[in-house]
Amino acid sequence: MSKEDSSPKKKTKAPVDNYTTRSISFGGQTYRYSDITKVHPALKSFLCYGLNKVAYRKKLELEKALDPMGVHAIHIGVMRIVNESGDITQNQIADEVGLDKATMVKVVDHLQNMGLMKRIQNQKDRRANFISLTDKGEKFLTKAMKISDAVESSFFDKLSAQEVKTLRELITRLLD
């Protein structure tokens, strides 16, 4: 029997539900949640707590809706940036969305493997690649945005159209 045959088999972990198990890292600490969307009544009135919980719930719904397409919200966000930016490198995209370069490579690799994006070598800087959507990627993005819009519409169904408009304006102002 060879060494390979006698070595113990690696145990595979049961799949983790990516939609409910989350972790957040900041300040050198990682905080893990079994359900990051849960809201405790004693904390509801804290503005940042509430904004975070609303964002997580919205993201959860979007992730579930995009799952059959084989992508996540970050993939669609990157595709939107590429679609609206023209010539842009993956390092520039990483800077725009706040991703580290290694994660950005994985995101672009995933989209390229799906045939949705392509890398085009920058003639002025051979170390950099411009990222662009393929024709398939443009159609895919259109479909994904319809799904995103439907999720958003459903998510905000407790608010009037004017309240949604005001919320968008206030968030935009806070982010500027």
Side-chain angles (χ1 to χ4, degrees), residues 6-117:
S6 64
S7 64
K9 301 266 185 209
K10 286 185 179 180
K11 292 182 181 177
T12 58
K13 291 182 179 179
V16 175
D17 180 356
N18 291 327
Y19 300 120
T20 57
T21 304
R22 296 279 186 241
S23 63
I24 299 174
S25 298
F26 59 89
Q29 295 287 326
T30 299
Y31 302 91
R32 298 192 194 302
Y33 297 86
S34 60
D35 181 357
I36 203 162
T37 65
K38 243 182 178 177
V39 178
H40 192 282
L43 301 176
K44 243 184 197 181
S45 64
F46 288 108
L47 183 61
C48 285
Y49 177 84
L51 288 172
N52 277 325
K53 294 300 180 171
V54 167
Y56 289 129
R57 285 182 175 183
K58 165 67 170 64
K59 186 174 186 287
L60 170 71
E61 289 183 21
L62 182 58
E63 293 289 355
K64 285 182 178 180
L66 292 174
D67 190 54
M69 297 178 76
V71 293
H72 296 284
I74 189 63
H75 295 112
I76 301 307
V78 167
M79 290 179 76
R80 283 191 70 176
I81 290 170
V82 169
N83 192 50
E84 294 179 18
S85 297
D87 289 342
I88 189 166
T89 66
Q90 66 187 45
N91 286 344
Q92 289 171 320
I93 300 167
D95 287 342
E96 291 292 328
V97 295
L99 285 177
D100 64 79
K101 290 178 174 105
T103 302
M104 188 72 236
V105 168
K106 290 177 186 176
V107 169
V108 173
D109 283 349
H110 179 76
L111 294 169
Q112 187 172 15
N113 289 339
M114 290 180 71
L116 305 176
M117 274 189 174

